[in-house]
Amino acid sequence: MKLLLSLLLAVSIIPQPKAVEEKKGAFLLDGKTAVVARHSEFAETAADFRADVALSTGFDLPEHKSWCGKAIILKHKSSIPEEGYILKVTRRKVVVKASDAAGAFYGLQTFRQLLPGAIYAKEPVDTLWEAPCCRIEDSPRVSWRGMQLDCCRYFYPKEAVLDFLDMMAMHKQNRFHWHLTEDQGWRIEIKKYPLLTEVGAWRDETCGYDGPGDGIRHGGFYTQDEIREVVEYARHRHITVVPEIELPGHSSAAIAAYPFLSCTPNQPKKVNTYWGIKDDVYCPSPETFKFLEDVFDEVLELFPSPWYHIGGDECPKTAWRKSDYCKRLASELGLESVDDLQYYFVKHFDAYLRERGKTVIGWDEILDGSAVESTVVMSYRGHNPAIKAMNRDMKVILCPNRFCYYDYHQNEIADTFKNHHLFITLRKAYNYNPTGFIGDSLMQAKGDLILGYQACVWGEYIPDVPQLEHQTYPREAAIAEFCWSADDRRNFDDFRMRLLKEFDRLDARHINYSRAYWNVIVNMNLESDYPREVELTLDYPFAEIRYTTDGTEPTAASPVAPATLTVNEGDCIRAQGFMADGTPVGVPMTRIFQKQPYSKH
Ligand code: ACM
């Protein structure tokens, strides 16, 4: 326990800073501590800090232009890299130096993380607000440090989105990719086309991929005022909100609202109640293009982001192949096949948005067939699309689904979703290494084309906010550290120690994070034959794994598990962590080894 306490008091920052020097003593934040922003560029950052810490401390920290007493001082220093900072904590002063407001903001986030985790609470907490003295020098590894959220499969209220942004800010993530349109729901108010939300934001029920319906009408949308509020909230946290308006596929909610957008307008339409890829996609007609241009015109007013995501994934060409109009159009345009109407679509909207000062991002299918080279490729089907894009000198953002799709569960205990057998443990998410896939030589020659990385939280199996939190945390801290901290500063053993304090922060926010950290996880290659090698791991660092093979519950007297075990089909392993004094950790894990059915991913 003493060890635990000293760990919690030590510098324990996520993402891991570039350089940390720990010093003797502590700074005590009290109600008389002044916040001093000498440079007008930092005035808003200082005001936001005062407002944030007022919630948990109850202090109305005085604001000054200069001050010689106890203070937190923000100073401008032009030699510090973009988004970087130097933070110096002494007994009397906290000094944050930065060359831009983002750096000052991140310096203050680090200072908050030096304080007890309760500093992130939104209600008053009675504690001693002490931060260890130290000097920290820091700046990010990549510029795109993202999280994607699918608010379409299920609708999450604005407050959940704001909480999501708060957590991103806590971990210095700066790109919020907001998936706003889908087959199962259109979530953004467009004033010129009210049926998009009157009709398109609602589905009759939810049937999963193939199940019976639950009979529950589902839906919701963000008004333009709410969108503005989210964008402004994000701006204060140095997060750019990148909207995704999908085309040409995943568009059946819009088509249900306005059937003229389809190649088969006279057939019955409805907002989809099943997940999966749908054949009814936008028809590449002048009317559809006009509609989408009108939509973008309103969206452009709402999102100042220089990046716009236009989807582009999973667009079957079935409807186009059957359509005389599409066949004629493809031939008039001199395209090789009707399928290349996808290229025509992307090219048109890339140009439309580029003329308005935006850079277009698309899922990696935009590389299939002809590619519009000014677009940024979001590589999710592994790394081959990224390699293809880099070889064409196109910029990429990496979110390979096997590492970065946080809708996959974190272990197999209490996290299990129907039809969803693959999982991405915290350790796997953390240890993601793109170089192993992309190769040293391409990474060295063209690694600069990688803008950065992001995790995606798709919603098919996330019906509510507690489940959203369960899927997202604590893995969001793993991708954040991957994006921010240099290779030689990342180490899972160190990260899992720092998570102990991270959980205090998440608790302060009442976040329903996954408890997989305290449970034994079976790591194995699901595709390997039996007998199969499996590795048992436990992220919580202070317990030993004990296990049984006879179906009985493990106890403190059960044998300690070896690093790897060999299992046969039909074997049963039960395992749990135990402290040295015999106290169990987490819940017991039970695994019967059978052939794994595969999930859709
Ligand atoms: C995707 O997962 N379809 C982008």
Side-chain angles (χ1 to χ4, degrees), residues 313-314 363 380 405 458:
D313 62 320
E314 299 177 331
W363 297 110
Y380 77 99
Y405 272 25
W458 293 103

Side-chain angles (χ1 to χ4, degrees), residues 244 246 250 313-314 363 365 380 401 405 458 600-601:
E244 181 181 354
E246 277 253 40
H250 287 291
D313 62 320
E314 299 177 331
W363 297 110
E365 283 94 334
Y380 77 99
N401 52 8
Y405 272 25
W458 293 103
K600 84 159 184 117
H601 293 291

Side-chain angles (χ1 to χ4, degrees), residues 36 53-54 121-122 124 156 160 170 206 214 230 232 289 305 307 321 325 366 370 379 399 430 432 466 476 545:
V36 181
V53 302
K122 286 187 170 174
Y156 312 119
M170 184 192 289
T206 305
D214 61 4
V230 168
E232 179 63 4
F289 279 24
S305 166
W307 298 280
R321 288 183 199 142
Y325 166 77
I366 61 169
S370 310
S379 184
C399 52
Y430 187 86
Y432 168 52
E476 177 263 350
I545 300 173

Side-chain angles (χ1 to χ4, degrees), residues 38-104:
R38 295 217 172 119
H39 198 274
S40 59
E41 194 188 348
F42 299 156
E44 187 175 79
T45 308
D48 288 344
F49 174 78
R50 292 173 60 246
D52 279 341
V53 302
L55 297 175
S56 51
T57 63
F59 301 150
D60 179 15
L61 299 179
E63 195 180 358
H64 291 284
K65 281 265 175 282
S66 72
W67 186 249
C68 48
K70 186 187 272 196
I72 297 165
I73 305 165
L74 305 185
K75 287 187 179 169
H76 193 272
K77 188 166 191 242
S78 50
S79 61
I80 292 180
E82 224 175 289
E83 299 187 292
Y85 64 89
I86 295 173
L87 168 69
K88 212 165 150 197
V89 179
T90 60
R91 286 187 171 89
R92 301 246 331 134
K93 280 194 173 38
V94 173
V95 179
V96 177
K97 293 182 187 165
S99 63
D100 56 14

